Amino acid sequence: MAQSSAPFVHLCLVSGLVHHSGVLLAVPEEAVAQKSIHLGAFGIWNFQLDVLPAARMQETAAELEELGYGALWFGEATGREALTKAALLLAGTKRMVIATGIANIYGRDPVTMSAAQKTLAEAYPNRFLLGLGVSHIPLVEKLRGHKYDKPVSTMRAYLDAMDNAPYHVLAPISKSPRVLAALGPKMLQLSAERADGAHPYNTTPQHTAQARELLGPDPYLCPEQAVVLEKDPAKARAIARKFLAIYLTLPNYTNNWLRLGFQEADIKDGGSDKLIDAVIAWGDLKTVLNRVQEHHAAGADHVCVQVLTDDSKTFPIREHRELASAIPRK
């Protein structure tokens, strides 16, 4: 079961406006103050660290930490194994929270997942956040050779097995939290009942508000927000469409967009401008950070920003530096 928490500090309250590097930005209250893990208001979500050699990946993570980002999130598909990668990133940083967004539950059995989580929590107290997800049919059945089952019941059974897993060595000082990749109402409810919160992906501030209502005030709510630092509409939308192409074929995402009020036509032919603009924030620094603030105002504790560029094979360090220059440090 999710661990108990102290009184919740809601991030829709802001302490004021800060003019920083030419950007007027609302500053949220201290993020996730009710938990032992302090994510901060802003984090990074990234796949492209996998293009770097392991040592360079650690050096880059250390720079991101110095830039002031509170957490570094990454996914799991055909790159580095998630828990090993988390260990490398934890070893290469000093303060930043390292979070899986997500570790695929079909990739390892519950006993192994539980042991890995406790191992990292013991070695790096209050710095590892385990994000779990059921992934998608192609990645589970075609890539891994498993049968993809009903998401909510499968996740519930997996969490039961994790909670009952033996671990007969030195335990971590404090319980390491877990969050679930959650889009629909049933998985969001499970995130509140059996985990410590939710990590939605490819969503909107409207979804964040709905998720907060379903989760209640205490659990983590950590949405991902993709951004393109490009002011030309055609160029920005082209980058966004390239990124969203695979997700437009996955029912987990398309069904969620339909629940949010989009139509089937919005999902066809690379996505309508309406859908692209709602899911991907593009423009100058002020514009993209305003979208992040909309998530905070809707109830997010922490927003992990995924920077998109036209070159998916190069880590966008320049853009991360630019974003960091506009995020006030507290």
Side-chain angles (χ1 to χ4, degrees):
M1 298 296 289
Q3 62 193 42
S4 61
S5 59
F8 178 72
V9 179
H10 205 288
L11 280 171
C12 66
L13 302 174
V14 296
S15 58
L17 295 174
V18 171
H19 192 273
H20 193 87
S21 299
V23 177
L24 191 66
L25 180 66
V27 183
E29 294 290 333
E30 184 66 22
V32 202
Q34 82 280 19
K35 297 289 188 180
S36 59
I37 286 185
H38 296 276
L39 293 167
F42 300 87
I44 295 169
W45 202 106
N46 188 266
F47 260 123
Q48 293 154 311
L49 284 172
D50 274 353
V51 305
L52 302 175
R56 181 60 184 145
M57 178 183 73
Q58 291 175 308
E59 293 170 2
T60 301
E63 178 178 349
L64 296 172
E65 179 178 64
E66 291 305 311
L67 287 172
Y69 294 104
L72 176 56
W73 299 72
F74 57 87
E76 181 177 38
T78 57
R80 290 186 172 105
E81 190 275 327
L83 283 303
T84 308
K85 182 176 178 179
L88 289 170
L89 291 169
L90 286 162
T93 52
K94 298 177 181 178
R95 302 175 305 277
M96 177 186 283
V97 173
I98 302 302
T100 58
I102 50 74
N104 188 339
I105 66 170
Y106 289 92
R108 54 200 66 79
D109 64 55
V111 174
T112 302
M113 187 77 83
S114 176
Q117 180 186 23
K118 291 171 181 174
T119 300
L120 293 175
E122 186 260 320
Y124 301 95
N126 301 323
R127 290 192 53 216
F128 177 60
L129 177 59
L130 178 65
L132 298 169
V134 296
S135 190
H136 305 277
I137 292 175
L139 291 174
V140 171
E141 297 194 348
K142 294 182 180 180
L143 179 65
R144 295 183 179 275
H146 300 294
K147 178 184 176 183
Y148 191 85
D149 215 336
K150 295 180 179 179
V152 175
S153 59
T154 299
M155 179 61 80
R156 187 184 298 276
Y158 192 93
L159 297 176
D160 287 342
M162 279 190 70
D163 290 345
N164 292 318
Y167 191 69
H168 298 148
V169 294
L170 184 65
I173 297 172
S174 59
K175 178 184 175 183
S176 177
R178 64 193 182 201
V179 294
L180 307 183
L183 296 174
K186 291 182 180 179
M187 192 66 82
L188 284 165
Q189 289 167 356
L190 187 65
S191 300
E193 295 168 3
R194 298 299 312 283
D196 297 274
H199 172 49
Y201 187 91
N202 274 339
T203 59
T204 65
Q206 176 191 353
H207 182 272
T208 295
Q210 295 174 0
R212 175 52 73 197
E213 184 175 357
L214 284 168
L215 288 171
D218 291 336
Y220 291 108
L221 178 53
C222 308
E224 170 268 354
Q225 175 62 61
V227 306
V228 181
L229 290 172
E230 171 58 62
K231 291 183 281 188
D232 181 85
K235 291 180 180 179
R237 287 173 178 148
I239 292 170
R241 283 192 169 91
K242 182 179 178 181
F243 166 75
L244 279 182
I246 182 63
Y247 300 106
L248 291 167
T249 69
L250 298 173
N252 302 37
Y253 293 109
T254 58
N255 289 339
N256 189 57
W257 292 326
L258 293 173
R259 282 192 297 268
L260 289 171
F262 294 97
Q263 305 301 311
E264 293 282 357
D266 290 311
I267 300 169
K268 296 179 179 179
D269 303 320
S272 68
D273 286 352
K274 178 182 177 182
L275 177 66
I276 295 297
D277 295 351
V279 176
I280 311 295
W282 57 266
D284 59 16
L285 278 173
K286 179 179 179 180
T287 300
V288 301
L289 289 175
N290 280 346
R291 178 71 64 83
V292 173
Q293 179 55 32
E294 288 176 17
H295 283 284
H296 286 311
D301 300 293
H302 168 88
V303 181
C304 34
V305 178
Q306 181 172 190
V307 176
L308 308 179
T309 68
D310 195 38
D311 181 7
S312 61
K313 295 183 179 180
T314 301
F315 184 84
I317 189 62
R318 179 183 63 81
E319 288 80 4
H320 284 97
R321 291 167 181 161
E322 187 177 355
L323 273 173
S325 73
I327 297 173
R329 298 195 188 200
K330 297 196 69 176

